PDB file of all heavy atoms in Angstrom:
ATOM      1  N   ASP A   1       0.808  -1.217  -0.006  1.00 93.00           N
ATOM      2  CA  ASP A   1       0.018   0.012   0.000  1.00 93.00           C
ATOM      3  C   ASP A   1       0.845   1.274  -0.010  1.00 93.00           C
ATOM      4  O   ASP A   1       0.277   2.361  -0.054  1.00 93.00           O
ATOM      5  CB  ASP A   1      -0.958   0.019   1.189  1.00 93.00           C
ATOM      6  CG  ASP A   1      -2.095  -0.973   1.007  1.00 93.00           C
ATOM      7  OD1 ASP A   1      -2.416  -1.311  -0.132  1.00 93.00           O
ATOM      8  OD2 ASP A   1      -2.699  -1.363   2.007  1.00 93.00           O
ATOM      9  N   VAL A   2       2.147   1.174   0.089  1.00 94.00           N
ATOM     10  CA  VAL A   2       3.007   2.308   0.007  1.00 94.00           C
ATOM     11  C   VAL A   2       3.720   2.402  -1.315  1.00 94.00           C
ATOM     12  O   VAL A   2       4.524   3.310  -1.562  1.00 94.00           O
ATOM     13  CB  VAL A   2       4.029   2.436   1.184  1.00 94.00           C
ATOM     14  CG1 VAL A   2       3.310   2.745   2.474  1.00 94.00           C
ATOM     15  CG2 VAL A   2       4.886   1.202   1.273  1.00 94.00           C
ATOM     16  N   GLY A   3       3.453   1.412  -2.234  1.00 93.00           N
ATOM     17  CA  GLY A   3       3.993   1.512  -3.577  1.00 93.00           C
ATOM     18  C   GLY A   3       5.127   0.569  -3.929  1.00 93.00           C
ATOM     19  O   GLY A   3       5.536   0.488  -5.081  1.00 93.00           O
ATOM     20  N   ALA A   4       5.646  -0.183  -2.977  1.00 95.00           N
ATOM     21  CA  ALA A   4       6.646  -1.192  -3.292  1.00 95.00           C
ATOM     22  C   ALA A   4       6.017  -2.264  -4.142  1.00 95.00           C
ATOM     23  O   ALA A   4       4.856  -2.591  -3.923  1.00 95.00           O
ATOM     24  CB  ALA A   4       7.264  -1.758  -2.023  1.00 95.00           C
ATOM     25  N   TRP A   5       6.712  -2.828  -5.137  1.00 96.00           N
ATOM     26  CA  TRP A   5       6.148  -3.810  -6.003  1.00 96.00           C
ATOM     27  C   TRP A   5       7.192  -4.764  -6.556  1.00 96.00           C
ATOM     28  O   TRP A   5       8.368  -4.493  -6.546  1.00 96.00           O
ATOM     29  CB  TRP A   5       5.395  -3.110  -7.182  1.00 96.00           C
ATOM     30  CG  TRP A   5       6.259  -2.272  -8.031  1.00 96.00           C
ATOM     31  CD1 TRP A   5       6.641  -0.978  -7.741  1.00 96.00           C
ATOM     32  CD2 TRP A   5       6.942  -2.630  -9.206  1.00 96.00           C
ATOM     33  NE1 TRP A   5       7.475  -0.508  -8.696  1.00 96.00           N
ATOM     34  CE2 TRP A   5       7.694  -1.521  -9.636  1.00 96.00           C
ATOM     35  CE3 TRP A   5       6.996  -3.796  -9.949  1.00 96.00           C
ATOM     36  CZ2 TRP A   5       8.482  -1.564 -10.791  1.00 96.00           C
ATOM     37  CZ3 TRP A   5       7.791  -3.822 -11.134  1.00 96.00           C
ATOM     38  CH2 TRP A   5       8.503  -2.714 -11.513  1.00 96.00           C
ATOM     39  N   SER A   6       6.699  -5.854  -7.102  1.00 96.00           N
ATOM     40  CA  SER A   6       7.559  -6.798  -7.827  1.00 96.00           C
ATOM     41  C   SER A   6       6.669  -7.802  -8.534  1.00 96.00           C
ATOM     42  O   SER A   6       5.540  -8.067  -8.143  1.00 96.00           O
ATOM     43  CB  SER A   6       8.438  -7.556  -6.816  1.00 96.00           C
ATOM     44  OG  SER A   6       9.225  -8.554  -7.507  1.00 96.00           O
ATOM     45  N   TRP A   7       7.196  -8.357  -9.636  1.00 96.00           N
ATOM     46  CA  TRP A   7       6.432  -9.415 -10.312  1.00 96.00           C
ATOM     47  C   TRP A   7       7.454 -10.500 -10.778  1.00 96.00           C
ATOM     48  O   TRP A   7       8.610 -10.198 -11.012  1.00 96.00           O
ATOM     49  CB  TRP A   7       5.593  -8.909 -11.439  1.00 96.00           C
ATOM     50  CG  TRP A   7       6.337  -8.294 -12.602  1.00 96.00           C
ATOM     51  CD1 TRP A   7       6.611  -6.934 -12.742  1.00 96.00           C
ATOM     52  CD2 TRP A   7       6.859  -8.929 -13.740  1.00 96.00           C
ATOM     53  NE1 TRP A   7       7.283  -6.737 -13.881  1.00 96.00           N
ATOM     54  CE2 TRP A   7       7.419  -7.909 -14.551  1.00 96.00           C
ATOM     55  CE3 TRP A   7       6.922 -10.249 -14.191  1.00 96.00           C
ATOM     56  CZ2 TRP A   7       8.086  -8.186 -15.778  1.00 96.00           C
ATOM     57  CZ3 TRP A   7       7.552 -10.505 -15.402  1.00 96.00           C
ATOM     58  CH2 TRP A   7       8.097  -9.514 -16.174  1.00 96.00           C
ATOM     59  N   LYS A   8       6.963 -11.667 -10.826  1.00 96.00           N
ATOM     60  CA  LYS A   8       7.791 -12.811 -11.302  1.00 96.00           C
ATOM     61  C   LYS A   8       7.008 -13.651 -12.276  1.00 96.00           C
ATOM     62  O   LYS A   8       5.772 -13.767 -12.165  1.00 96.00           O
ATOM     63  CB  LYS A   8       8.218 -13.700 -10.091  1.00 96.00           C
ATOM     64  CG  LYS A   8       9.094 -13.016  -9.092  1.00 96.00           C
ATOM     65  CD  LYS A   8      10.399 -12.617  -9.646  1.00 96.00           C
ATOM     66  CE  LYS A   8      11.271 -11.871  -8.650  1.00 96.00           C
ATOM     67  NZ  LYS A   8      12.380 -11.174  -9.200  1.00 96.00           N
ATOM     68  N   SER A   9       7.697 -14.219 -13.205  1.00 96.00           N
ATOM     69  CA  SER A   9       7.030 -15.066 -14.218  1.00 96.00           C
ATOM     70  C   SER A   9       7.953 -16.233 -14.541  1.00 96.00           C
ATOM     71  O   SER A   9       9.063 -16.324 -14.068  1.00 96.00           O
ATOM     72  CB  SER A   9       6.744 -14.277 -15.489  1.00 96.00           C
ATOM     73  OG  SER A   9       7.949 -13.943 -16.141  1.00 96.00           O
ATOM     74  N   ASN A  10       7.414 -17.148 -15.409  1.00 95.00           N
ATOM     75  CA  ASN A  10       8.155 -18.309 -15.877  1.00 95.00           C
ATOM     76  C   ASN A  10       8.631 -19.202 -14.722  1.00 95.00           C
ATOM     77  O   ASN A  10       9.729 -19.657 -14.691  1.00 95.00           O
ATOM     78  CB  ASN A  10       9.345 -17.875 -16.778  1.00 95.00           C
ATOM     79  CG  ASN A  10       9.859 -19.029 -17.560  1.00 95.00           C
ATOM     80  OD1 ASN A  10       9.122 -20.022 -17.823  1.00 95.00           O
ATOM     81  ND2 ASN A  10      11.122 -18.966 -17.979  1.00 95.00           N
ATOM     82  N   ARG A  11       7.749 -19.353 -13.712  1.00 95.00           N
ATOM     83  CA  ARG A  11       8.052 -20.223 -12.586  1.00 95.00           C
ATOM     84  C   ARG A  11       7.422 -21.587 -12.840  1.00 95.00           C
ATOM     85  O   ARG A  11       6.623 -21.780 -13.691  1.00 95.00           O
ATOM     86  CB  ARG A  11       7.502 -19.614 -11.294  1.00 95.00           C
ATOM     87  CG  ARG A  11       8.134 -18.260 -10.905  1.00 95.00           C
ATOM     88  CD  ARG A  11       9.636 -18.403 -10.787  1.00 95.00           C
ATOM     89  NE  ARG A  11      10.229 -17.226 -10.240  1.00 95.00           N
ATOM     90  CZ  ARG A  11      11.008 -16.387 -10.925  1.00 95.00           C
ATOM     91  NH1 ARG A  11      11.230 -16.540 -12.195  1.00 95.00           N
ATOM     92  NH2 ARG A  11      11.621 -15.360 -10.334  1.00 95.00           N
ATOM     93  N   THR A  12       7.792 -22.572 -12.037  1.00 95.00           N
ATOM     94  CA  THR A  12       7.308 -23.940 -12.209  1.00 95.00           C
ATOM     95  C   THR A  12       5.857 -24.105 -11.847  1.00 95.00           C
ATOM     96  O   THR A  12       5.191 -25.016 -12.272  1.00 95.00           O
ATOM     97  CB  THR A  12       8.165 -24.952 -11.417  1.00 95.00           C
ATOM     98  OG1 THR A  12       8.167 -24.530 -10.066  1.00 95.00           O
ATOM     99  CG2 THR A  12       9.591 -24.989 -11.956  1.00 95.00           C
ATOM    100  N   SER A  13       5.354 -23.160 -11.014  1.00 95.00           N
ATOM    101  CA  SER A  13       3.927 -23.209 -10.639  1.00 95.00           C
ATOM    102  C   SER A  13       3.490 -21.833 -10.230  1.00 95.00           C
ATOM    103  O   SER A  13       4.303 -20.893 -10.007  1.00 95.00           O
ATOM    104  CB  SER A  13       3.725 -24.179  -9.476  1.00 95.00           C
ATOM    105  OG  SER A  13       4.316 -23.651  -8.299  1.00 95.00           O
ATOM    106  N   ILE A  14       2.178 -21.660 -10.160  1.00 95.00           N
ATOM    107  CA  ILE A  14       1.611 -20.364  -9.691  1.00 95.00           C
ATOM    108  C   ILE A  14       2.081 -20.115  -8.249  1.00 95.00           C
ATOM    109  O   ILE A  14       2.375 -18.969  -7.916  1.00 95.00           O
ATOM    110  CB  ILE A  14       0.077 -20.396  -9.800  1.00 95.00           C
ATOM    111  CG1 ILE A  14      -0.285 -20.386 -11.286  1.00 95.00           C
ATOM    112  CG2 ILE A  14      -0.544 -19.202  -9.126  1.00 95.00           C
ATOM    113  CD1 ILE A  14      -1.792 -20.547 -11.548  1.00 95.00           C
ATOM    114  N   LYS A  15       2.100 -21.172  -7.428  1.00 96.00           N
ATOM    115  CA  LYS A  15       2.513 -21.035  -6.047  1.00 96.00           C
ATOM    116  C   LYS A  15       3.903 -20.427  -5.965  1.00 96.00           C
ATOM    117  O   LYS A  15       4.162 -19.489  -5.144  1.00 96.00           O
ATOM    118  CB  LYS A  15       2.463 -22.369  -5.316  1.00 96.00           C
ATOM    119  CG  LYS A  15       2.916 -22.321  -3.903  1.00 96.00           C
ATOM    120  CD  LYS A  15       2.908 -23.678  -3.282  1.00 96.00           C
ATOM    121  CE  LYS A  15       3.465 -23.604  -1.864  1.00 96.00           C
ATOM    122  NZ  LYS A  15       3.745 -24.891  -1.263  1.00 96.00           N
ATOM    123  N   HIS A  16       4.846 -20.927  -6.780  1.00 96.00           N
ATOM    124  CA  HIS A  16       6.228 -20.389  -6.791  1.00 96.00           C
ATOM    125  C   HIS A  16       6.235 -18.923  -7.262  1.00 96.00           C
ATOM    126  O   HIS A  16       7.007 -18.120  -6.770  1.00 96.00           O
ATOM    127  CB  HIS A  16       7.140 -21.224  -7.624  1.00 96.00           C
ATOM    128  CG  HIS A  16       7.481 -22.569  -6.957  1.00 96.00           C
ATOM    129  ND1 HIS A  16       7.369 -23.760  -7.647  1.00 96.00           N
ATOM    130  CD2 HIS A  16       7.889 -22.828  -5.727  1.00 96.00           C
ATOM    131  CE1 HIS A  16       7.664 -24.721  -6.815  1.00 96.00           C
ATOM    132  NE2 HIS A  16       7.998 -24.231  -5.640  1.00 96.00           N
ATOM    133  N   ALA A  17       5.432 -18.599  -8.271  1.00 96.00           N
ATOM    134  CA  ALA A  17       5.390 -17.258  -8.761  1.00 96.00           C
ATOM    135  C   ALA A  17       4.876 -16.299  -7.640  1.00 96.00           C
ATOM    136  O   ALA A  17       5.471 -15.228  -7.490  1.00 96.00           O
ATOM    137  CB  ALA A  17       4.507 -17.154 -10.003  1.00 96.00           C
ATOM    138  N   ILE A  18       3.860 -16.697  -6.940  1.00 96.00           N
ATOM    139  CA  ILE A  18       3.320 -15.893  -5.865  1.00 96.00           C
ATOM    140  C   ILE A  18       4.332 -15.700  -4.757  1.00 96.00           C
ATOM    141  O   ILE A  18       4.631 -14.598  -4.345  1.00 96.00           O
ATOM    142  CB  ILE A  18       2.042 -16.543  -5.303  1.00 96.00           C
ATOM    143  CG1 ILE A  18       0.889 -16.417  -6.292  1.00 96.00           C
ATOM    144  CG2 ILE A  18       1.658 -15.920  -3.940  1.00 96.00           C
ATOM    145  CD1 ILE A  18      -0.349 -17.208  -5.919  1.00 96.00           C
ATOM    146  N   GLU A  19       4.969 -16.819  -4.318  1.00 97.00           N
ATOM    147  CA  GLU A  19       6.008 -16.711  -3.256  1.00 97.00           C
ATOM    148  C   GLU A  19       7.159 -15.854  -3.671  1.00 97.00           C
ATOM    149  O   GLU A  19       7.589 -14.947  -2.895  1.00 97.00           O
ATOM    150  CB  GLU A  19       6.494 -18.104  -2.860  1.00 97.00           C
ATOM    151  CG  GLU A  19       5.460 -18.919  -2.089  1.00 97.00           C
ATOM    152  CD  GLU A  19       5.935 -20.356  -1.791  1.00 97.00           C
ATOM    153  OE1 GLU A  19       7.003 -20.728  -2.240  1.00 97.00           O
ATOM    154  OE2 GLU A  19       5.174 -21.068  -1.121  1.00 97.00           O
ATOM    155  N   ASN A  20       7.657 -16.033  -4.894  1.00 96.00           N
ATOM    156  CA  ASN A  20       8.837 -15.249  -5.348  1.00 96.00           C
ATOM    157  C   ASN A  20       8.526 -13.783  -5.512  1.00 96.00           C
ATOM    158  O   ASN A  20       9.342 -12.917  -5.120  1.00 96.00           O
ATOM    159  CB  ASN A  20       9.405 -15.835  -6.664  1.00 96.00           C
ATOM    160  CG  ASN A  20      10.017 -17.194  -6.510  1.00 96.00           C
ATOM    161  OD1 ASN A  20      10.190 -17.927  -7.485  1.00 96.00           O
ATOM    162  ND2 ASN A  20      10.381 -17.588  -5.292  1.00 96.00           N
ATOM    163  N   SER A  21       7.359 -13.448  -6.007  1.00 97.00           N
ATOM    164  CA  SER A  21       7.024 -12.028  -6.164  1.00 97.00           C
ATOM    165  C   SER A  21       6.776 -11.375  -4.763  1.00 97.00           C
ATOM    166  O   SER A  21       7.184 -10.215  -4.627  1.00 97.00           O
ATOM    167  CB  SER A  21       5.777 -11.834  -7.079  1.00 97.00           C
ATOM    168  OG  SER A  21       4.628 -12.391  -6.465  1.00 97.00           O
ATOM    169  N   LEU A  22       6.196 -12.109  -3.860  1.00 97.00           N
ATOM    170  CA  LEU A  22       6.012 -11.560  -2.486  1.00 97.00           C
ATOM    171  C   LEU A  22       7.378 -11.359  -1.803  1.00 97.00           C
ATOM    172  O   LEU A  22       7.599 -10.304  -1.185  1.00 97.00           O
ATOM    173  CB  LEU A  22       5.159 -12.501  -1.676  1.00 97.00           C
ATOM    174  CG  LEU A  22       3.645 -12.360  -1.873  1.00 97.00           C
ATOM    175  CD1 LEU A  22       2.933 -13.492  -1.110  1.00 97.00           C
ATOM    176  CD2 LEU A  22       3.116 -11.037  -1.470  1.00 97.00           C
ATOM    177  N   ILE A  23       8.286 -12.320  -1.936  1.00 96.00           N
ATOM    178  CA  ILE A  23       9.606 -12.204  -1.294  1.00 96.00           C
ATOM    179  C   ILE A  23      10.356 -10.998  -1.834  1.00 96.00           C
ATOM    180  O   ILE A  23      10.894 -10.181  -1.106  1.00 96.00           O
ATOM    181  CB  ILE A  23      10.417 -13.480  -1.481  1.00 96.00           C
ATOM    182  CG1 ILE A  23       9.831 -14.573  -0.627  1.00 96.00           C
ATOM    183  CG2 ILE A  23      11.891 -13.259  -1.133  1.00 96.00           C
ATOM    184  CD1 ILE A  23      10.385 -15.978  -0.934  1.00 96.00           C
ATOM    185  N   ASP A  24      10.302 -10.801  -3.199  1.00 97.00           N
ATOM    186  CA  ASP A  24      10.997  -9.656  -3.798  1.00 97.00           C
ATOM    187  C   ASP A  24      10.316  -8.372  -3.444  1.00 97.00           C
ATOM    188  O   ASP A  24      11.025  -7.360  -3.198  1.00 97.00           O
ATOM    189  CB  ASP A  24      11.035  -9.879  -5.337  1.00 97.00           C
ATOM    190  CG  ASP A  24      12.100  -9.081  -6.000  1.00 97.00           C
ATOM    191  OD1 ASP A  24      13.222  -8.973  -5.399  1.00 97.00           O
ATOM    192  OD2 ASP A  24      11.901  -8.566  -7.113  1.00 97.00           O
ATOM    193  N   CYS A  25       9.033  -8.343  -3.377  1.00 96.00           N
ATOM    194  CA  CYS A  25       8.296  -7.138  -2.991  1.00 96.00           C
ATOM    195  C   CYS A  25       8.687  -6.752  -1.557  1.00 96.00           C
ATOM    196  O   CYS A  25       8.887  -5.560  -1.238  1.00 96.00           O
ATOM    197  CB  CYS A  25       6.821  -7.330  -3.155  1.00 96.00           C
ATOM    198  SG  CYS A  25       5.803  -5.892  -2.664  1.00 96.00           S
ATOM    199  N   GLN A  26       8.747  -7.751  -0.662  1.00 96.00           N
ATOM    200  CA  GLN A  26       9.088  -7.498   0.734  1.00 96.00           C
ATOM    201  C   GLN A  26      10.501  -6.927   0.888  1.00 96.00           C
ATOM    202  O   GLN A  26      10.751  -6.107   1.700  1.00 96.00           O
ATOM    203  CB  GLN A  26       8.954  -8.795   1.536  1.00 96.00           C
ATOM    204  CG  GLN A  26       7.505  -9.184   1.720  1.00 96.00           C
ATOM    205  CD  GLN A  26       7.344 -10.643   2.191  1.00 96.00           C
ATOM    206  OE1 GLN A  26       8.286 -11.397   2.230  1.00 96.00           O
ATOM    207  NE2 GLN A  26       6.120 -10.994   2.517  1.00 96.00           N
ATOM    208  N   LYS A  27      11.422  -7.354   0.006  1.00 95.00           N
ATOM    209  CA  LYS A  27      12.774  -6.793   0.007  1.00 95.00           C
ATOM    210  C   LYS A  27      12.749  -5.318  -0.347  1.00 95.00           C
ATOM    211  O   LYS A  27      13.501  -4.542   0.171  1.00 95.00           O
ATOM    212  CB  LYS A  27      13.684  -7.548  -0.992  1.00 95.00           C
ATOM    213  CG  LYS A  27      14.074  -8.939  -0.531  1.00 95.00           C
ATOM    214  CD  LYS A  27      14.902  -9.623  -1.610  1.00 95.00           C
ATOM    215  CE  LYS A  27      15.223 -11.056  -1.174  1.00 95.00           C
ATOM    216  NZ  LYS A  27      15.933 -11.783  -2.252  1.00 95.00           N
ATOM    217  N   ASN A  28      11.841  -4.970  -1.282  1.00 94.00           N
ATOM    218  CA  ASN A  28      11.679  -3.544  -1.693  1.00 94.00           C
ATOM    219  C   ASN A  28      10.901  -2.729  -0.662  1.00 94.00           C
ATOM    220  O   ASN A  28      10.850  -1.501  -0.779  1.00 94.00           O
ATOM    221  CB  ASN A  28      10.983  -3.474  -3.069  1.00 94.00           C
ATOM    222  CG  ASN A  28      11.767  -4.115  -4.168  1.00 94.00           C
ATOM    223  OD1 ASN A  28      12.979  -4.181  -4.102  1.00 94.00           O
ATOM    224  ND2 ASN A  28      11.059  -4.636  -5.149  1.00 94.00           N
ATOM    225  N   ASN A  29      10.306  -3.418   0.260  1.00 94.00           N
ATOM    226  CA  ASN A  29       9.361  -2.770   1.210  1.00 94.00           C
ATOM    227  C   ASN A  29       9.826  -2.918   2.638  1.00 94.00           C
ATOM    228  O   ASN A  29       9.024  -2.893   3.595  1.00 94.00           O
ATOM    229  CB  ASN A  29       7.966  -3.378   1.032  1.00 94.00           C
ATOM    230  CG  ASN A  29       6.862  -2.573   1.682  1.00 94.00           C
ATOM    231  OD1 ASN A  29       6.939  -1.397   1.769  1.00 94.00           O
ATOM    232  ND2 ASN A  29       5.862  -3.305   2.140  1.00 94.00           N
ATOM    233  N   LYS A  30      11.119  -3.079   2.913  1.00 94.00           N
ATOM    234  CA  LYS A  30      11.610  -3.395   4.253  1.00 94.00           C
ATOM    235  C   LYS A  30      11.155  -2.447   5.312  1.00 94.00           C
ATOM    236  O   LYS A  30      10.752  -2.825   6.400  1.00 94.00           O
ATOM    237  CB  LYS A  30      13.182  -3.391   4.224  1.00 94.00           C
ATOM    238  CG  LYS A  30      13.751  -4.616   3.619  1.00 94.00           C
ATOM    239  CD  LYS A  30      15.280  -4.596   3.646  1.00 94.00           C
ATOM    240  CE  LYS A  30      15.812  -5.806   2.936  1.00 94.00           C
ATOM    241  NZ  LYS A  30      17.317  -5.709   2.847  1.00 94.00           N
TER     242      LYS A  30
END
């Protein structure tokens, strides 16, 4: 909600895409 963002694609599953984009977003949103 403060604007940090990330997206991931070409993962082995939707679950991995969700987890990886959240982890990367959290790094940008420390």
Side-chain angles (χ1 to χ4, degrees):
D1 287 338
V2 291
W5 60 276
S6 177
W7 63 268
K8 297 296 179 195
S9 68
N10 197 25
R11 298 301 190 252
T12 56
S13 69
I14 291 174
K15 179 183 175 190
H16 287 130
I18 289 171
E19 287 176 358
N20 292 161
S21 65
L22 280 172
I23 289 168
D24 202 37
C25 180
Q26 290 165 351
K27 287 178 186 174
N28 298 331
N29 194 33
K30 285 181 184 176

